[in-house]
Amino acid sequence: MKRSKPTALNICIYTLLIILALLQIFPFYFTIIRSFQPESFFERATELKFLPESWNFENYPEAWRRARLGRGYLNSLFYVSVFTFISAMIAMMVGYVLAKKEFRGKNFVFLMFLSTLMVPYETLLIPNFLMARDLYLTDKLAGLIIPGLVSIMGIFIAKQFMETIPDSIVESSVLDGAGEFQIFYKIIMPMSKPALATYCILTFTDKWNEYIWPLIILNEPSKFPVQLSLLYFVDRHATGDYLATLQQAAIISTLLPVVIIYFIFQKKFVEGISITGLK
Amino acid sequence: MAAFKKKYKNEIVAYSLLAYPLLHWGVFFVIQFFRAFGLSFTDWDIFSEANFVGFSNYTTILFKDEVFRIALINTVLWALAMAVGPLVIGFLVALMVNHISKGSVFFRTLLYWPALISKVVFTSIQERIFSSSPYGLINRLLGLFGVDAVAWFDNPDIALPSLMLWPFLMGFSFPMLFFLAGLKQIPKTFYEAAEVDGAKKSTILFKITLPLMKPIIFLNLILGMTGTFSLTEGFRALAPMQLITKGGPIHATYSVVYKIYTDGFDKYQMGYASAMSFILFAIILIMTIIQFKIQGEQVSYE
């Protein structure tokens, strides 16, 4: 059943895939090339540059300084990590209760949580902003963390996964005299690592990339996450002051954490998709 | 008391663990939902007292607001395009990646990772590719062949299709991964049996792969339980309009969510914008119910 012969079909497929991959890669390639050009760099209209004229590494520190990317990095790393950790703990706990406990109203609670998914996030932008204002969460990193801490997606992933853990394991540890939290931390959590990893990776990248909510509740530049730091260049662009090379340098800088996480955990990503969707 | 504790032992444990999540969810979801609904019947603008105005926000939006009408048409077109393009291309790419024996992990990795970049980065790259000046990437390519620069986003007649083109072609990464996961679940024996019977490649595709993928397609893509990708996703388009065109030129690229955003957070018409949010909610809800109804039978046979 090995199909390694170079059939016409295979050649077509490889050609198409290579074209698609190049289409995906080229914009990034040009972004990288451009990020090293001198600031005065100006291309002629009918030219495509595949290599930089010179390697201006100083674009990077300059971009970081202008857009306060260092601050943005610290803010993002802090709030994204805290959010991911706390929301993961909540999701695992709720998932555990819904998957492994028998109690009245269980299905009702689960259905109520699920119904949340029907309501688009954008419908709640305005009241959530008002809520954040009432609780004095605007212009604070806490405002980026607190509102979404109960993640329905996380609960769903955790519950689906924990239902595959045999009840007998939980029951036998109850007989051994293990307490509620012992069961959760010593048995359920270690066994649910794939679900936990999936949720954390998805949430980390999602939060790292988020810009709408920060844009709504933050005015103070010292609190900006990286995506808002990037918008500095978009705003400058709108006023006619186009810092193209610096913008490219900043863009490349912000991709780093997500790229690292993806290439380390890329197998987990694929597993995660199967866990969230197919079980 | 002891008897009560014994009888409701499970409930006490369960609800004490669920207490905080339920409270948090109640405060940040349930209350906010009804608050927005209440606001949608007022003329509140943050600065002055809110007045109850009945259904007038809704009637104004639906029958008098010209920009909303454009935004709604744009949004429906956008949603249709984003449902078809990424889905079809994603499925075809998944079939191809699944078919090849060498390098399938390589292509999967390469083709999926653009799904991880932020909207801010995606749109600034998109803007550079389609920039109307002769320095935009595509205009420069056209220039090599002596074709005049096209005004992509600056021409109201073609601004929306131009804005759609890149996400339409390049948005396949996430659906592709979903489909790949689904294709992997089809037992190999099905294909082996078909090959023994001498079935053609096209027959295998239409008689085995597609029918077996149906539940996966419907469950994961259409119902979109995790909210990461679904057919209703296109109704929530915001970033390209907000970050590239600002809804222009002459409102040509407004979307419903961008209209909610500008009316709410730029003009502070909180009541009016809330009413629009609920119209959006109603549209998405109706779409979802229709999908459930139509696809109900297919889903059940998994």
Side-chain angles (χ1 to χ4, degrees), chain B residues 13 24 26 28 52 65 86 93 139 175 186 200 208 212 214 248 250 252 256 259 269 288 290 298:
Chain B
V13 174
H24 191 106
F28 285 96
F52 180 77
D65 193 330
V93 175
N139 278 349
I186 299 176
K200 270 191 271 170
I208 299 178
L212 284 172
K214 247 194 215 165
I250 353 175
V256 171
K259 175 105 168 98
Q269 298 173 339
T288 314
I290 291 174
Q298 277 105 336

Side-chain angles (χ1 to χ4, degrees), chain B residues 5-23:
Chain B
K5 259 194 177 164
K6 191 156 191 196
K7 192 177 171 203
Y8 292 101
K9 190 174 148 253
N10 288 340
E11 281 74 12
I12 292 169
V13 174
Y15 284 105
S16 55
L17 289 172
L18 288 179
Y20 179 73
L22 277 173
L23 179 76

Side-chain angles (χ1 to χ4, degrees), chain B residues 91-293:
Chain B
F91 186 64
L92 293 176
V93 175
L95 280 179
M96 291 195 284
V97 172
N98 195 47
H99 180 83
I100 56 176
S101 44
K102 279 199 186 106
S104 78
V105 173
F106 172 77
F107 280 110
R108 190 190 68 198
T109 310
L110 214 59
L111 293 174
Y112 180 67
W113 93 266
L116 303 171
I117 63 170
S118 75
K119 295 262 169 52
V120 176
V121 172
F122 190 89
T123 51
S124 23
I125 286 174
Q126 190 187 354
E127 194 175 17
R128 240 174 75 58
I129 296 172
F130 288 90
S131 170
S132 300
S133 73
Y135 306 105
L137 263 183
I138 293 195
N139 278 349
R140 212 176 292 167
L141 273 176
L142 291 177
L144 291 178
F145 299 101
V147 181
D148 285 343
V150 178
W152 305 109
F153 302 144
D154 292 335
N155 177 351
D157 295 330
I158 59 161
L160 188 72
S162 310
L163 205 56
M164 269 178 196
L165 195 58
W166 193 243
F168 180 87
L169 289 175
M170 289 295 133
F172 65 80
S173 302
F174 198 80
M176 173 200 73
L177 203 60
F178 250 130
F179 285 128
L180 264 180
L183 285 169
K184 290 263 180 297
Q185 298 222 325
I186 299 176
K188 281 234 162 55
T189 48
F190 286 24
Y191 292 111
E192 282 159 16
E195 250 167 51
V196 169
D197 291 348
K200 270 191 271 170
K201 287 247 159 63
S202 56
T203 319
I204 294 177
L205 175 65
F206 286 107
K207 298 277 166 162
I208 299 178
T209 309
L210 274 177
L212 284 172
M213 287 288 283
K214 247 194 215 165
I216 290 153
I217 298 172
F218 292 133
L219 264 177
N220 301 306
L221 296 173
I222 298 190
L223 306 182
M225 278 314 234
T226 58
T228 325
F229 182 87
S230 67
L231 288 195
T232 51
E233 185 74 9
F235 282 99
R236 301 158 60 186
L238 170 66
M241 297 82 186
Q242 183 176 26
L243 299 177
I244 299 179
T245 58
K246 304 263 172 224
I250 353 175
H251 307 309
T253 59
Y254 256 88
S255 73
V256 171
V257 174
Y258 185 57
K259 175 105 168 98
I260 293 173
Y261 188 91
T262 49
D263 284 2
F265 296 106
D266 294 343
K267 299 182 194 158
Y268 296 114
Q269 298 173 339
M270 291 298 177
Y272 194 74
S274 294
M276 225 172 323
S277 308
F278 271 87
I279 292 173
L280 175 75
F281 172 49
I283 294 170
I284 292 182
L285 191 65
I286 292 168
M287 292 283 304
T288 314
I289 291 171
I290 291 174
Q291 287 161 356
F292 264 108
K293 280 252 150 43

Side-chain angles (χ1 to χ4, degrees), chain A residues 14 72 75 77 107 129 137 141 146 151 157 167 169 200 222 261:
Chain A
Y14 278 113
N75 287 340
L77 282 177
N107 285 334
F129 163 71
L137 290 175
L141 289 180
I146 294 172
S151 160
I157 295 175
D167 285 333
I169 294 180
C200 288
S222 69
I261 287 188

Side-chain angles (χ1 to χ4, degrees), chain A residues 14 34 43 45-47 93 102 104 116-117 122 126-127 131 134 146 209 211-212 227 262 277-278, chain B residues 8 10-11 15 17 24-25 27 32 35 102 113 116 118 128 135 140 144 220 225 236 239 242:
Chain A
Y14 278 113
R34 207 160 196 210
E43 280 168 294
T46 51
E47 255 178 20
M93 195 180 72
E102 282 310 321
R104 273 158 228 149
T116 308
L117 293 176
E122 291 75 11
I126 287 171
M131 183 75 182
D134 295 347
I146 294 172
N209 290 337
Y211 83 96
I212 300 168
Q227 302 302 332
Y262 176 55
L278 301 175
Chain B
Y8 292 101
N10 288 340
E11 281 74 12
Y15 284 105
L17 289 172
H24 191 106
W25 176 77
V27 169
Q32 301 318 310
R35 187 177 188 185
K102 279 199 186 106
W113 93 266
L116 303 171
S118 75
R128 240 174 75 58
Y135 306 105
R140 212 176 292 167
L144 291 178
N220 301 306
M225 278 314 234
R236 301 158 60 186
Q242 183 176 26

